[in-house]
Every structure is written in C-alpha cells, then in structure tokens.
Amino acid sequence: DGGITQSPKYLFRKEGQNVTLSCEQNLNHDAMYWYRQDPGQGLRLIYYSQIVNDFQKGDIAEGYSVSREKKESFPLTVTSAQKNPTAFYLCASSISFSGTPYSPLHFGNGTRLTVT
Amino acid sequence: AQSVTQLDSHVSVSEGTPVLLRCNYSSSYSPSLFWYVQHPNKGLQLLLKYTSAATLVKGINGFEAEFKKSETSFHLTKPSAHMSDAAEYFCVVPLTGTASKLTFGTGTRLQVTL
C-alpha cells in the first residue's frame, strides 16, 4: 500500500536539543510538506519542497530546517532555536506543487513532539 | 488574500441526526475549496473539493457541501450522523496561484452521541 510514514509517533526531548522527525513516502509524489498543528489553530505550513534538492520556507519556518536529498524523504529538524517546539507535526505530499491543480494532499499520521 | 472562517469550534449531534459544519470564505473571486477530516491522532484525509464544476459537491462517507457565492459559504452537511463521523473537520482554501499551498481553517470538532 502506498502512503506516508512518519516516525516516531511520539518523541520526547529536553529543551536545547535538536531533534529530527522522519517522513518517507512511496507515492512517487514530487511535492512534500511539513505542517505544525496546535490546538485551536488549524495547520500552519513550516516548509515545503516542490522537487528533489529544492525547498522553500512556509509561514513559520523559524527554528526549523529541512533537506530533500531523495524524492521519497523529507526530514524535519526542530532546532533549539524554536521557542515553542511542543506540537503535533504532520508531513504531507502531493503529486506536484502546481502542475496538477487541486491534487489532494496525502498526510502521514503525525509525530507528537514534547519538549520539556 | 484567501481565507476561511469556521464558525463553530465544536458541534455535538446525536447519532442519526443531521450534521452541519459551517465555513465562510473570503476571496476576491470564486476560489477552490476543500474539506478535510482528521480522526484522533491521525493525519488528514480529503473529504471533498469544490473546483467550480458544480456548486453541490459530494464527498466520501455521505458528506456533501454546497458552494454559495452570494453567502460566501461552503458548509459541510450529512443527513444522518454516525459514531464513526466523530473527528475534526477543516475547511481549506488554496492560496492564489499555488493550488497546493493551503490555508486551513481552525477546525470544527464533531462529537456524535448515542
């Protein structure tokens, strides 16, 4: 079955530590996205990648970094510079960013990060 | 800029009764609009999408939504709620010129009681 795998499901870290969230897709999608979800705020875009070796900042990129070295992988690093890192993080992909209008986003099941 | 407002943060219905989740949009033209559903601790799944082909859109699991330009609304409905419908629902609009860069509403949590 094709889909998006996020790991781990739960992650606990101490303040001041960087942490990397994994996202892998086997849908052969070009575009990938990272969203952050906080209660009552909907989803906010952190970074997105339209194609391998390319990525752009979303609305709340400060304190985060990404890489896109392979089509199927789009890891997100939450750095110690992120002031409020505790949140639910969702990875998504779509066939393309703009070549196929209205192509739906396919989401992983998320990683819940808790930083204390 | 495109935006959406979900008018209710929480809706509770009894099983077997109709569901209405309200969404108003703000746009200078007729946008595309989507509804996504999220079950607890899961990712989001597309329920339905409006892309100007027809104002009444049917989605999965018996949901449908009607685009009303005069009211700038895109409310989600279902004739009869089922326990499995309990989830969070998001009204979503793409940013102009970037169909895949989305703006999400703040969500409506649907509770279904016996």
Side-chain angles (χ1 to χ4, degrees), chain B residues 16-97:
Chain B
T17 65
V19 175
L20 170 64
L21 305 182
R22 299 183 295 165
C23 173
N24 285 357
Y25 69 89
S26 172
S27 175
S28 55
Y29 62 96
S30 293
S32 300
L33 289 159
F34 310 93
W35 276 100
Y36 278 80
V37 60
Q38 183 181 31
H39 288 92
N41 293 312
K42 297 288 188 184
L44 282 72
Q45 179 185 17
L46 181 68
L47 260 185
L48 50 80
K49 61 184 180 185
Y50 166 74
T51 57
S52 77
T55 56
L56 183 62
V57 182
K58 293 189 184 302
I60 61 173
N61 301 334
F63 283 93
E64 60 183 39
E66 187 172 7
F67 176 78
K68 291 187 177 180
K69 187 174 181 179
S70 60
E71 300 175 9
T72 61
S73 70
F74 189 57
H75 301 336
L76 182 70
T77 61
K78 183 174 181 178
S80 176
H82 190 272
M83 294 296 288
S84 61
D85 295 327
E88 187 142 23
Y89 293 79
F90 292 93
C91 185
V92 182
V93 64
L95 295 178
T96 305

Side-chain angles (χ1 to χ4, degrees), chain A residues 92-111:
Chain A
S93 70
S94 63
I95 293 172
S96 69
F97 187 75
S98 57
T100 307
Y102 323 125
S103 60
L105 266 60
H106 295 255
F107 284 85
N109 284 331
T111 291

Side-chain angles (χ1 to χ4, degrees), chain B residues 2-24:
Chain B
Q2 271 70 272
S3 67
V4 289
T5 301
Q6 293 186 243
L7 300 171
D8 307 291
S9 60
H10 183 261
V11 169
S12 182
V13 301
S14 299
E15 191 174 34
T17 65
V19 175
L20 170 64
L21 305 182
R22 299 183 295 165
C23 173
N24 285 357

